[in-house]
Amino acid sequence: KLPILELESPRDNQVQRFDVLNGPVVLGRHEACQFQVSSRRLSRLHACVFSHRGQIWLADLHSQNGTVYRGRSLTPGIPVSLPTDGTEASIRLYDREILIRMRA
């Protein structure tokens, strides 16, 4: 069974699941994003989560207000790895907390 990426926006009461092998999951406020977040402070294409060589990665897409993971602002365009063992990761897209989990 393939791993499933689960994204949750508690403030928006939204949970979605994605097969990361189908390509990157883009987070932002644009209608073309796979995971839409309704905050005017977010960039249209804010961040993305993707799979590469068995790892799950998070990258800020040069957003205006930044992406924070583990208390540190990400350098735009430089991906960081996320846990793949089912541990929940919390990221902040300006004023929105997004929870990320890998489900077996």
Side-chain angles (χ1 to χ4, degrees):
K1 186 159 165 115
L2 298 173
I4 297 298
L5 173 71
E6 185 176 272
L7 297 176
E8 178 181 356
S9 175
R11 184 166 167 182
D12 298 314
N13 200 24
Q14 171 188 14
V15 178
Q16 283 180 257
R17 291 184 177 91
F18 302 92
D19 178 346
V20 288
L21 298 181
N22 287 339
V25 176
V26 179
L27 297 82
R29 61 181 170 82
H30 193 276
E31 62 188 27
C33 291
Q34 288 85 352
F35 193 80
Q36 289 183 37
V37 184
S38 60
S39 170
R40 293 185 303 134
R41 299 283 189 169
L42 261 64
S43 295
R44 288 184 293 275
L45 306 175
H46 197 100
C48 76
V49 179
F50 62 96
S51 172
H52 181 67
R53 296 189 178 187
Q55 277 293 115
I56 301 298
W57 301 88
L58 167 69
D60 180 84
L61 299 175
H62 299 269
S63 66
Q64 187 158 1
N65 290 311
T67 302
V68 175
Y69 176 55
R70 291 188 172 161
R72 294 180 38 218
S73 292
L74 300 188
T75 303
I78 307 292
V80 296
S81 64
L82 296 173
T84 56
D85 61 0
T87 304
E88 185 173 87
S90 172
I91 66 170
R92 184 161 290 281
L93 308 180
Y94 187 70
D95 63 348
R96 288 294 196 276
E97 179 187 33
I98 307 294
L99 304 174
I100 302 174
R101 293 176 284 271
M102 288 304 297
R103 300 278 188 214

